[in-house]
């Protein structure tokens, strides 16, 4: 009687995943108990490639870095597909069995690289790889005044003399008018005379 495997292929994958999770957890627990824990100021500062960090690490981050990182990942994953292709294309035994394998793999790699190059050209043409640069926008108006009139006005204004700048204060302070002795001694009378009512006597 033939032995039948009691575990399916998916069961083997599940056992592999559970074993990996347990081993990673054991490594973290072992690191927690055995690794030295001596935090200080130097260890808790943000890493700046060996330079002294200045300012706060919470700064606005340019989104263009994210696009460049995506392009890097695109071509990084491309190399993962190029390595197995190179092993097939460089295998003489496979090509000796059938010469069409070499041509098929070569055409397939050209198609693959062509798709990636088209994607890169699209991103480049769209301007996503360019850094943020201010675009110069010349102002335009619908005025009917000719340009020669503006130039003439500018020439006339250039003949005006500009007052030289001085650091000294030029604010004129008005002195108070002199007060005569008669005005100083005169006492103004009130404009109204107060009157007081006597309270009525109760009989």
């Amino acid at each position: 009687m033939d032995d039948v495997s009691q575990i399916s292929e998916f069961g083997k994958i599940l056992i592999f995943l559970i074993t990996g999770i347990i081993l990673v957890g054991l490594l973290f627990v072992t690191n927690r108990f055995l690794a030295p824990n001596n935090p200080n100021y130097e260890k808790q500062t943000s890493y700046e490639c060996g330079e002294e960090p200045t300012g706060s690490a919470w700064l606005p981050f340019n989104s263009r870095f994210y696009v460049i990182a995506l392009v890097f990942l695109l071509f990084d994953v491309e190399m993962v597909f190029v390595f197995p292709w190179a092993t097939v294309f460089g295998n003489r035994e496979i090509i000796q069995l059938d010469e069409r394998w070499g041509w098929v793999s070569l055409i397939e790699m050209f198609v693959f690289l062509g798709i990636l190059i088209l994607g890169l050209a699209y991103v480049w043409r769209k301007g996503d790889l360019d850094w943020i640069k201010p675009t110069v926008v010349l102002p335009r108006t619908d005025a009917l005044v000719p340009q020669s009139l503006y130039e003439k006005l500018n020439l006339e204004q250039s003949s005006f003399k500009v007052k030289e700048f001085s650091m000294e204060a030029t604010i004129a302070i008005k002195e108070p008018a002199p007060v005569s002795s008669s005005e100083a001694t005169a006492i103004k009378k009130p404009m109204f005379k107060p009157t007081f009512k006597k309270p009525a006597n109760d009989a």
Side-chain angles (χ1 to χ4, degrees):
M1 186 173 180
D2 296 330
D3 294 336
V4 180
S5 177
Q6 300 296 325
I7 302 175
S8 64
E9 297 298 326
F10 291 105
K12 294 176 182 177
I13 295 173
L14 180 62
I15 292 173
F16 179 77
L17 290 176
I18 292 173
T19 306
I21 292 171
I22 291 173
L23 288 176
V24 171
L26 285 174
L27 288 175
F28 275 109
V29 171
T30 307
N31 181 43
R32 181 72 176 174
F33 285 110
L34 297 180
N37 187 14
N38 299 320
N40 54 25
Y41 174 76
E42 295 294 334
K43 290 182 179 179
Q44 292 179 350
T45 54
S46 57
Y47 181 69
E48 293 288 345
C49 298
E51 298 290 335
E52 289 291 334
T54 57
S56 175
W58 296 96
L59 296 173
F61 199 75
N62 199 332
S63 59
R64 301 279 175 164
F65 285 110
Y66 179 69
V67 177
I68 292 174
L70 287 179
V71 175
F72 169 74
L73 286 176
L74 173 67
F75 289 98
D76 198 25
V77 173
E78 173 193 349
M79 296 306 298
V80 175
F81 290 105
V82 169
F83 281 124
W85 168 82
T87 57
V88 173
F89 186 72
N91 194 342
R92 295 181 180 178
E93 295 177 358
I94 296 177
I95 295 176
Q96 285 178 357
L97 292 175
D98 193 350
E99 294 181 355
R100 291 178 296 180
W101 277 109
W103 289 106
V104 168
S105 59
L106 182 63
I107 294 171
E108 182 184 7
M109 182 50 58
F110 273 114
V111 171
F112 177 69
L113 291 177
I115 293 171
L116 291 177
I117 291 171
L118 281 177
L120 178 63
Y122 172 75
V123 174
W124 194 348
R125 180 70 178 86
K126 197 175 178 182
D128 290 336
L129 297 180
D130 296 335
W131 208 246
I132 297 176
K133 296 179 181 178
T135 55
V136 179
V137 178
L138 297 176
R140 295 183 179 180
T141 59
D142 297 333
L144 300 178
V145 181
Q147 185 68 24
S148 60
L149 186 59
Y150 285 110
E151 294 175 357
K152 182 180 178 182
L153 183 63
N154 291 333
L155 289 174
E156 290 177 359
Q157 287 183 353
S158 62
S159 62
F160 295 154
K161 292 183 179 180
V162 181
K163 186 177 180 181
E164 295 182 359
F165 177 75
S166 176
M167 294 294 294
E168 298 177 359
T170 57
I171 301 173
I173 301 173
K174 293 183 179 180
E175 297 181 356
V179 180
S180 61
S181 59
S182 60
E183 292 178 356
T185 56
I187 299 173
K188 292 183 178 180
K189 295 181 180 180
M191 299 298 293
F192 65 94
K193 186 176 182 181
T195 55
F196 299 100
K197 291 183 179 180
K198 294 181 179 180
N201 295 327
D202 294 336

